[in-house]
């Protein structure tokens, strides 16, 4: 069973509401800090400021993520929605496939997991997106438009452009799991795991940062 999209507020409004109603609930855990729903929203705000104010991302731009399912890539996606920009996720791919994908798309910025090398001058480590506070006040859109797309790459290399409304219309009423592997940006993972978990203020567990029960739940 799936809920129609009009049963839900938009995802950004939902996350902002969760930050108030479930401020201390855990959204996900990094090796050195716990990300509550309050911190989840504040990280989206920080990411918006850095993307626009320091890295020059503008409405309609395409930003790529290269990595293996780091949870902060989800922060990146929601920040881009607020800026009315698109995300091209390139997860768990061979370097030559990533290189070809970046050449074929008009990407304004590439963010990548720590330890990866991306051969472009427009690349930044994902960790720098949220490393410290950015005091720039971003200009965010009031409504997400057709500029903001999630560009999902099929096995044959073709891109499928999906708006947030499409993803919400396919969202399952309950999360079938709370575990996310090396790819966040798969249609079934977003609609059956991540979005339902966020809607219920549940904790997501990401393979990229899970330390098998030895998490240090400290920090901010």
């Amino acid at each position: 069973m799936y809920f129609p999209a009009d049963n839900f507020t938009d995802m950004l409004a939902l996350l902002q509401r969760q930050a108030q109603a479930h401020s201390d609930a855990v959204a996900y855990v990094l090796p050195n800090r716990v990300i509550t729903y309050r911190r989840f929203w504040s990280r989206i705000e920080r990411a918006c400021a850095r993307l626009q104010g320091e890295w020059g991302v503008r409405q309609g731009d395409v930003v790529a993520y290269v990595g293996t399912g780091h949870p902060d890539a989800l922060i990146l996606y929601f920040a881009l929605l607020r800026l009315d920009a698109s995300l091209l996720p390139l997860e768990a791919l061979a370097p030559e496939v990533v290189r070809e994908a970046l050449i074929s798309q008009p990407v304004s910025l590439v963010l990548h997991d720590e330890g990866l090398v991306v051969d472009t001058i427009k690349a930044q480590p994902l960790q720098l997106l949220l490393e410290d506070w950015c005091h720039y006040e971003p200009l965010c859109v009031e409504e997400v438009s057709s500029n903001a797309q999630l560009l999902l790459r099929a096995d044959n290399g073709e891109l499928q452009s999906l708006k947030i409304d499409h993803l919400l219309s396919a969202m399952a009423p309950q999360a079938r799991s709370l575990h996310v592997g090396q790819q966040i940006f798969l249609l079934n993972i977003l609609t059956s795991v991540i979005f339902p978990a966020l809607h219920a203020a549940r904790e997501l567990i990401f393979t990229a940062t899970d330390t098998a029960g030895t998490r240090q739940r400290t920090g901010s």
Side-chain angles (χ1 to χ4, degrees):
M1 176 182 179
Y2 291 87
F3 289 159
D6 57 8
N7 280 358
F8 300 100
T9 60
D10 72 83
M11 184 57 72
L12 292 172
L14 168 68
L15 292 172
Q16 190 170 22
R17 190 170 67 244
Q18 300 294 49
Q20 299 171 343
H22 303 282
S23 60
D24 294 328
V26 177
Y28 61 89
V29 176
L30 297 175
N32 61 346
R33 61 177 59 92
V34 175
I35 306 303
T36 62
Y37 274 84
R38 175 178 58 80
R39 289 171 180 160
F40 193 99
W41 181 253
S42 71
R43 287 164 83 83
I44 293 172
E45 292 181 315
R46 185 188 311 179
C48 286
R50 179 147 292 117
L51 286 166
Q52 190 179 84
E54 295 184 7
W55 293 344
V57 173
R58 296 292 179 262
Q59 188 173 10
D61 282 356
V62 177
V63 174
Y65 163 63
V66 179
T68 53
H70 194 287
D72 284 344
L74 200 57
I75 300 291
L76 170 64
Y77 173 54
F78 290 129
L80 291 172
L81 282 181
R82 291 189 81 210
L83 299 177
D84 203 21
S86 296
L87 176 65
L88 170 64
L90 302 171
E91 298 177 288
L93 296 172
E96 60 272 16
V97 178
V98 170
R99 192 177 304 112
E100 291 175 3
L102 293 178
I103 291 172
S104 66
Q105 294 298 315
V107 172
S108 63
L109 176 68
V110 180
L111 297 184
H112 57 85
D113 285 356
E114 186 177 6
L116 293 181
V117 176
V118 178
D119 187 19
T120 172
I121 60 173
K122 299 181 285 187
Q124 296 281 357
L126 180 65
Q127 66 183 33
L128 292 185
L129 180 66
L130 299 160
E131 190 168 60
D132 52 25
W133 192 257
C134 176
H135 296 286
Y136 179 84
E137 290 292 334
L139 299 175
C140 300
V141 298
E142 294 184 4
E143 294 185 5
V144 177
S145 76
S146 58
N147 288 321
Q149 301 280 347
L150 182 62
L151 305 175
L152 297 186
R153 186 179 181 279
D155 291 339
N156 62 3
E158 295 291 327
L159 291 182
Q160 181 182 16
S161 299
L162 299 176
K163 291 182 62 177
I164 186 67
D165 288 350
H166 176 93
L167 299 172
L168 291 177
S169 70
M171 188 172 88
Q174 294 180 336
R176 63 171 174 80
S177 172
L178 296 174
H179 292 260
V180 181
Q182 291 188 326
Q183 291 178 271
I184 293 171
F185 300 101
L186 296 172
L187 185 59
N188 66 317
I189 295 297
L190 289 169
T191 59
S192 298
V193 178
I194 293 176
F195 284 3
L198 294 177
H199 188 267
R202 301 287 302 278
E203 177 182 353
L204 288 161
I205 300 170
F206 293 81
T207 297
T209 53
D210 185 32
T211 54
T214 59
R215 303 164 178 170
Q216 299 177 5
R217 299 197 167 199
T218 59
S220 60

